[in-house]
Amino acid sequence: MGKLQYQCTMSLDGFIAGPGGDMSWLAEYLGPNPTVDEVIGKTGALLVGNRTFGGDDPYKGTDNEGEPYGGGWTGPQFVLTHHAPDTPVPGVTFCGDLDSGIAAAKAAAGDKYVGVLGAEVARQCLDAGVLDEILVFIAPVLLGDGVRLFDHKGGSNVKLERLSVTHAPQATNLWLRVIK
């Protein structure tokens, strides 16, 4: 089975979304990045939080709106929610709990990564001891407020091992392993 990898872009001050979940800030930092291309090719399924799935989109108003990685990735998505929509969404399975979502995403991904999207889902995966890696693209911007990369009430000390640091025109890519 593949690994669970939290995949996201973050501002230098630690936010993956601006206030109210705003993702418009990200649009100018989307561009050629060999590490993004590499991870897209190694990702077999997505485990997505409901707020991320239904939230703001940096591709809003373009042909790629609503598509994972702006249409650069296709495959099965597993969205964690307690309130699945009445109308089915092609390619999307709605899961009521973390364990069933992880099991379904891992089965669909095979030996490829399960890309974890959404800060809350990543935190839940960390708490459950099942998150294997974090791949964060650090954009050269300070947002000052918003949704943090990792937020754990009361604090938490999660040990990480750096696997690689690479650079692209719009980001510094930091690939980490979660020490369990």
Side-chain angles (χ1 to χ4, degrees):
M1 288 282 197
K3 296 177 181 178
L4 268 72
Q5 183 187 64
Y6 183 18
Q7 303 169 349
C8 62
T9 299
M10 173 184 80
S11 65
L12 183 59
D13 55 347
F15 297 101
I16 63 170
D22 176 39
M23 294 299 292
S24 63
W25 69 274
L26 185 55
E28 72 180 276
Y29 302 101
L30 301 171
N33 187 330
T35 303
V36 171
D37 297 339
E38 177 185 351
V39 79
I40 284 173
K42 292 181 176 182
T43 300
L46 297 178
L47 180 65
V48 185
N50 192 44
R51 281 183 294 211
T52 298
F53 179 75
D56 198 16
D57 187 337
Y59 295 96
K60 190 185 308 183
T62 72
D63 291 341
N64 296 324
E65 183 174 354
E67 300 296 326
Y69 286 99
W73 181 87
T74 58
Q77 296 182 62
F78 299 86
V79 176
L80 297 180
T81 182
H82 296 293
H83 307 287
D86 295 331
T87 306
V89 178
V92 177
T93 302
F94 294 93
C95 303
D97 64 89
L98 183 66
D99 290 339
S100 66
I102 289 171
K106 280 189 154 196
D111 62 350
K112 291 186 169 188
Y113 281 111
V114 171
V116 176
L117 305 181
E120 179 61 21
V121 173
R123 187 198 55 75
Q124 289 178 39
C125 289
L126 276 168
D127 287 349
V130 296
L131 190 67
D132 299 297
E133 295 179 3
I134 298 171
L135 178 56
V136 60
F137 307 102
I138 304 168
V141 63
L142 299 171
L143 296 179
D145 192 9
V147 178
R148 291 207 170 275
L149 171 79
F150 176 67
D151 199 6
H152 196 279
K153 301 297 180 209
S156 182
N157 189 345
V158 179
K159 301 281 187 198
L160 304 170
E161 175 188 2
R162 185 179 61 231
L163 298 176
S164 72
V165 177
T166 57
H167 304 281
Q170 290 87 2
T172 298
N173 312 309
L174 185 55
W175 201 317
L176 304 154
R177 177 180 342 206
V178 178
I179 305 296
K180 298 178 184 180

